[in-house]
Amino acid sequence: MRGLAKVSRTNGAMELVDRERPKPDPNEALVEVEYAGLCGSDAGIYEFESAFERMELPTVIGHEYTGRIVETGEDVSAFSVGDRVVERPIRGCGECYQCSIGEENVCQNAVITGVDHDGAYEQFIAVPERALHPVPEGVDPMHAAVVEPTSIGARAVIENSRVSPGDRVLVEGPGPIGLLTAQIARAQGGTVVVSGVDQDGTYRLPLAERLGLETINVQSEAFEERCNELTDHVGFDVVFDTTGHPSGLPSAVDTVRKGGQIVLVGQTGETTMPYSPLVRSEIDLQCSYASMYEDFERAFRLIRSGDVDCETFVDDRFSLLDADDAFETFLAGETCKPVFDVSQLAE
């Protein structure tokens, strides 16, 4: 079978490689991948950011996907051939302290699909039963491929934020996680605004508007003035930083109200700022990372209800047979959530 792999520690360097069809272990199921999404971390691998130095290359990437089980190991009991599934791609060890207290998303020994071992940009993938999640009836397979990032937004909003009906919410960054977070915060009753920069003006901010969200371009509009108008000079009750940029947190501090909350979702690297204003304003600074079983359940419900509009959100223009086009378009901000038809690899 073929898979799209990162093959060297340079920018780009994505190639189709040949792989043996996996044979599932006793506790694994073999999944035939149908659709797989492109995530910001996949783009980070494409550019080969420092966070991915641990990868052993070549590695087939991709972790947002859906498919059908075509074979099961002898010890698999919860799933059967023909079941449609997604994977919870941060695989906890099940033994460390965090796993023991139900915090598998921050497992001390976690391995990540598409980073620490071959991922979903290939025709078949063997997955431990404990990492599989069933897809409910009535969920479009292409939409199921974005359940994983939706679960991240669900955790950020429902589990880790205090968004309540009537709250004024700012989501910094109109990337995939930002637009999912914004839709979920709206579903929780928040009045939501999404901010972006000039690069987002071609595709991502207009996409936010098509999703029914109000937007601000922080570079071409009077940002402070707009924020004051939208919040009656009080500031936003909750600000989600999904930018993955060092400017995100300082900007959030400037726009959140005194006594408000900032939820950090994007991984920004290093940033420098004065922290005394957070203390003096008693601002709640909350981090949110990845997701767990209940977050996936919520994600499916949000998609089925239409609170998350996958039909508008998903971009199916791209192919794994010409993956550079998808990655370069994503990095230029001219798409938001590409989803690949993985069956094309069999052609």
Side-chain angles (χ1 to χ4, degrees):
M1 66 177 187
R2 292 193 294 177
L4 184 72
K6 182 72 175 179
V7 297
S8 71
R9 300 175 185 278
T10 58
N11 186 66
M14 304 293 297
E15 294 181 9
L16 290 172
V17 298
D18 290 323
R19 286 286 195 264
E20 291 293 324
R21 174 170 164 159
K23 178 68 176 175
D25 289 340
N27 67 344
E28 292 181 330
L30 185 66
V31 178
E32 183 174 13
V33 182
E34 296 176 316
Y35 294 97
L38 192 162
C39 173
S41 62
D42 297 318
I45 294 171
Y46 182 82
E47 294 185 301
F48 211 68
E49 297 173 350
S50 59
F52 302 102
E53 286 287 346
R54 72 179 189 273
M55 291 177 66
E56 296 182 7
L57 305 181
T59 295
V60 175
I61 71 168
H63 62 274
E64 303 176 358
Y65 71 95
T66 188
R68 285 194 181 275
I69 293 175
V70 295
E71 185 180 350
T72 59
E74 60 188 27
D75 294 338
V76 173
S77 59
F79 296 92
S80 302
V81 170
D83 288 349
R84 177 168 282 126
V85 294
V86 297
E87 181 185 346
R88 298 189 302 277
I90 297 182
R91 302 182 185 178
C93 68
E95 299 176 355
C96 71
Y97 180 78
Q98 278 68 31
C99 286
S100 298
I101 63 172
E103 297 177 353
E104 297 92 343
N105 62 315
V106 289
C107 167
Q108 296 179 27
N109 308 303
V111 295
I112 302 175
T113 297
V115 177
D116 299 305
H117 54 85
D118 279 352
Y121 289 176
E122 61 186 4
Q123 294 164 263
F124 298 93
I125 181 171
V127 186
E129 179 180 24
R130 59 185 170 80
L132 290 171
H133 204 106
V135 177
E137 291 292 329
V139 177
D140 185 292
M142 187 175 287
H143 298 169
V146 299
V147 163
E148 193 273 341
T150 304
S151 74
I152 293 173
R155 182 170 185 79
V157 176
I158 301 170
E159 189 71 24
N160 287 327
S161 90
R162 58 188 197 216
V163 172
S164 300
D167 279 353
R168 292 175 287 203
V169 178
L170 175 65
V171 177
E172 297 181 321
I177 299 300
L179 293 188
L180 289 166
T181 298
Q183 292 179 80
I184 297 166
R186 180 175 60 189
Q188 292 294 103
T191 301
V192 182
V193 181
V194 177
S195 66
V197 295
D198 285 345
Q199 179 176 286
D200 301 314
T202 301
Y203 184 93
R204 293 182 173 183
L205 288 175
L207 174 60
E209 291 167 0
R210 291 200 301 277
L211 291 166
L213 298 161
E214 187 161 359
T215 65
I216 304 175
N217 184 325
V218 302
Q219 290 181 300
S220 63
E221 299 181 60
F223 182 53
E224 183 177 354
E225 183 178 327
R226 282 288 309 280
C227 290
N228 285 332
E229 290 173 358
L230 291 165
T231 67
D232 298 322
H233 293 265
V234 172
F236 290 95
D237 297 291
V238 181
V239 179
F240 294 90
D241 175 19
T242 73
T243 62
H245 190 275
S247 65
L249 178 56
S251 176
V253 173
D254 289 339
T255 54
V256 72
R257 68 169 175 83
K258 289 188 175 185
Q261 183 190 40
I262 297 170
V263 182
L264 297 179
V265 188
Q267 298 182 47
T268 64
E270 295 184 13
T271 189
T272 301
M273 56 171 285
Y275 287 88
S276 293
L278 279 77
V279 178
R280 289 197 297 266
S281 297
E282 204 172 63
I283 292 169
D284 177 11
L285 187 60
Q286 171 71 46
C287 296
S288 188
Y289 178 68
S291 56
M292 295 195 295
Y293 188 96
E294 180 59 22
D295 306 311
F296 273 73
E297 288 289 293
R298 288 168 171 157
F300 276 119
R301 292 195 289 268
L302 288 160
I303 288 172
R304 293 179 73 183
S305 69
D307 287 320
V308 170
D309 179 2
C310 287
E311 195 67 36
T312 302
F313 182 59
V314 165
D315 187 351
D316 63 357
R317 293 177 292 163
F318 302 97
S319 170
L320 287 175
L321 301 177
D322 183 20
D324 283 343
D325 181 35
F327 281 97
E328 294 294 343
T329 304
F330 183 91
L331 289 166
E334 295 175 1
T335 184
C336 187
K337 179 47 68 180
V339 173
F340 302 112
D341 180 350
V342 178
S343 69
Q344 292 179 341
L345 294 177
E347 296 175 359

